[in-house]
Amino acid sequence: MTSCRAVRVAQHSLLAVLIGLAAVHGNVSAQMASEEANGGRYTFSWPYAAEDALKPRGGTTQGPPVTRVTETTEAFQRLQAEDLSKFERDRRAILAMAGGYRASFDFLEVVGYPADYTPTAPYQSWGTEYVYVIADEGDFISLQHLLVMSIIDDEGEVRGPFINKHWRQDWHFEAPEAHTYRGANTWQRTQRSKKARAGQWLQTVWQVDDSPRYAAWGAWQHEDEYSTWQGGQTWRPLPRREYSVRDDYDALVGINRQTILPTGWVHEQRNEKVVVPSLDRITQRLATEYGIARYDRIKDYDFSEGDAYLEATAAFWGQVRDYWDRLLADNESLHLKAQSDQASLFLPLFRRASEIADGADYASEANAAFVRDTIDGYLAEKPQKGAGY
């Protein structure tokens, strides 16, 4: 199989990793670049800092223009239908996140706690992303994010699309338990009483290699103009946008809020940056950051390469998810090795998926053994010092 599609998809584990994952969400549009040149886009920051000290960091590539959807989507209309049960309206709010988007990502530290605190540069980036429904079992819904990105090179030519498997969000109604992050690269089983979880949805978020990231329970609230879900406080490891440049803290402790709108959805975060030298122990709080991820629905954008990749690799990534599920089911605590980069885990999995997308015919048993050996090599026997996962 040597089609142009296959070659481009196969490149995702090398070129797209370098372009996209280096900043987590590669593309920066020409419009955003122009706005940055004129002084940035923040309406509040640190007014007394040096002029260039807080120039935003993040993706530096540019992508071709996209067309936003400006009319109310069918998904939002279905969410607003009359005579729905609360449970069904919740489900439709979750399912409304599926589709094709231009996603923008903004993070800004707004409070610094130490006396000698110096604010760090805000983070800005964006990408074109499709959210797929890979499971819908009524009280369980799984949404897989996939970056399908093209860039404009130095000669003005459009290159791509480059495909990156991105994060996954699972939603489980009234789930009794989940593994939650406790620092030191450790996830521990957390249980919720029947009364405490009544009417609530557990959101679990998984990293690009389908390893655990964070989990929280929360209830959906529905209004005429929007539907919103807010989870309880949750710990999480450093995101790539941080651990690739920061080593002064170990975890984020934050609140997440996801709001469904007529033409997309918004993910809000309020995170404390904390030092966690050992399991369950915060010794210092450095700063609070606000984060806004906007998912603006777009039209007339070709996501077919992402469709093809997801279809070709569905069985393989299903085996990866199944093995993580087995590990979590069998262990009260799961420890992962702390490293400065998670490439030792996600890159082998990405390469294998790329080979499959490019036509390699691996037997299911061979893939299962590969998944087991790859993930087992990343497991640790006890909590790990450091913030590298």
Side-chain angles (χ1 to χ4, degrees):
M1 182 176 177
T2 57
S3 68
C4 292
R5 182 200 67 77
V7 171
R8 289 197 297 270
V9 170
Q11 289 175 326
H12 91 282
S13 62
L14 177 59
L15 183 56
V17 165
L18 296 175
I19 293 172
L21 288 180
V24 184
H25 314 283
N27 277 345
V28 171
S29 69
Q31 178 183 0
M32 292 171 70
S34 174
E35 288 169 337
E36 285 183 9
N38 291 328
R41 298 181 294 116
Y42 285 103
T43 57
F44 65 96
S45 186
W46 298 87
Y48 307 116
E51 182 175 353
D52 295 331
L54 295 178
K55 181 179 180 180
R57 61 183 178 86
T60 57
T61 55
Q62 296 183 19
V66 297
T67 303
R68 288 186 57 202
V69 170
T70 56
E71 63 277 2
T72 299
T73 64
E74 180 181 353
F76 192 80
Q77 292 173 352
R78 293 185 70 251
L79 167 59
Q80 293 292 323
E82 296 182 358
D83 301 324
L84 295 178
S85 67
K86 174 64 163 55
F87 172 73
E88 180 58 25
R89 201 175 300 278
D90 290 353
R91 280 179 31 80
R92 295 190 184 191
I94 296 167
L95 292 169
M97 285 186 275
Y101 298 94
R102 177 190 66 184
S104 61
F105 307 90
D106 293 89
F107 292 87
L108 172 69
E109 289 185 3
V110 295
V111 180
Y113 299 119
D116 60 349
Y117 170 79
T118 299
T120 61
Y123 178 89
Q124 298 177 348
S125 194
W126 79 270
T128 41
E129 184 160 349
Y130 202 95
V131 182
Y132 295 87
V133 179
I134 61 172
D136 182 359
E137 302 170 6
D139 62 355
F140 174 78
I141 299 171
S142 182
L143 303 177
Q144 176 64 62
H145 293 235
L146 200 68
L147 292 167
V148 182
M149 293 169 49
S150 295
I151 63 169
I152 300 175
D153 64 20
D154 292 340
E155 285 72 43
E157 298 294 325
V158 176
R159 300 180 59 198
F162 303 106
I163 313 302
N164 272 323
K165 180 175 175 294
H166 208 196
W167 62 294
R168 184 176 102 246
Q169 50 175 321
D170 289 349
W171 296 82
H172 192 173
F173 185 63
E174 297 185 345
E177 62 182 30
H179 277 72
T180 58
Y181 189 62
R182 304 315 305 165
N185 278 38
T186 296
W187 287 257
Q188 289 184 337
R189 192 186 308 277
T190 300
Q191 295 182 327
R192 193 87 170 206
S193 71
K194 186 174 182 179
K195 180 179 180 180
R197 67 178 189 264
Q200 296 197 340
W201 289 79
L202 169 71
Q203 184 203 40
T204 50
V205 169
W206 310 86
Q207 313 213 74
V208 298
D209 47 36
D210 289 313
S211 59
R213 182 154 178 75
Y214 63 88
W217 284 264
W220 282 93
Q221 173 189 344
H222 304 286
E223 305 292 348
D224 291 341
E225 298 83 7
Y226 63 86
S227 291
T228 192
W229 174 92
Q230 180 169 305
Q233 187 181 80
T234 180
W235 290 31
R236 71 188 76 179
L238 269 64
R240 176 174 292 271
R241 65 179 169 83
E242 287 287 88
Y243 76 63
S244 58
V245 297
R246 300 281 294 271
D247 61 4
D248 56 335
Y249 74 101
D250 306 303
L252 296 174
V253 178
I255 299 292
N256 291 275
R257 179 183 177 95
Q258 292 179 216
T259 301
I260 313 303
L261 301 168
T263 59
W265 54 284
V266 177
H267 179 192
E268 302 170 67
Q269 300 180 38
R270 184 184 185 276
N271 301 317
E272 283 190 339
K273 299 181 176 182
V274 300
V275 177
V276 185
S278 60
L279 192 66
D280 267 332
R281 187 166 71 95
I282 297 175
T283 59
Q284 186 180 12
R285 291 171 173 81
L286 297 184
T288 292
E289 71 170 9
Y290 288 166
I292 301 288
R294 302 182 189 278
Y295 290 81
D296 294 321
R297 198 177 290 266
I298 57 177
K299 58 185 178 181
D300 303 326
Y301 187 90
D302 185 4
F303 285 103
S304 61
E305 304 283 5
D307 300 342
Y309 173 81
L310 197 71
E311 180 179 0
T313 62
F316 172 76
W317 286 115
Q319 289 179 309
V320 175
R321 294 193 299 273
D322 288 346
Y323 193 64
W324 281 117
D325 287 345
R326 189 186 318 164
L327 288 171
L328 292 168
D330 292 346
N331 293 276
E332 289 296 313
S333 296
L334 188 67
H335 314 291
L336 299 179
K337 293 179 180 177
Q339 300 188 9
S340 60
D341 197 340
Q342 64 185 139
S344 61
L345 181 54
F346 85 79
L347 272 181
L349 297 175
F350 272 32
R351 290 192 187 104
R352 185 74 159 207
S354 180
E355 291 169 359
I356 293 170
D358 201 23
D361 187 17
Y362 293 109
S364 177
E365 295 80 3
N367 281 336
F370 175 82
V371 168
R372 182 188 64 244
D373 293 344
T374 300
I375 294 177
D376 282 354
Y378 214 70
L379 302 179
E381 295 183 356
K382 60 183 180 180
Q384 299 288 293
K385 183 179 180 180
Y389 185 68

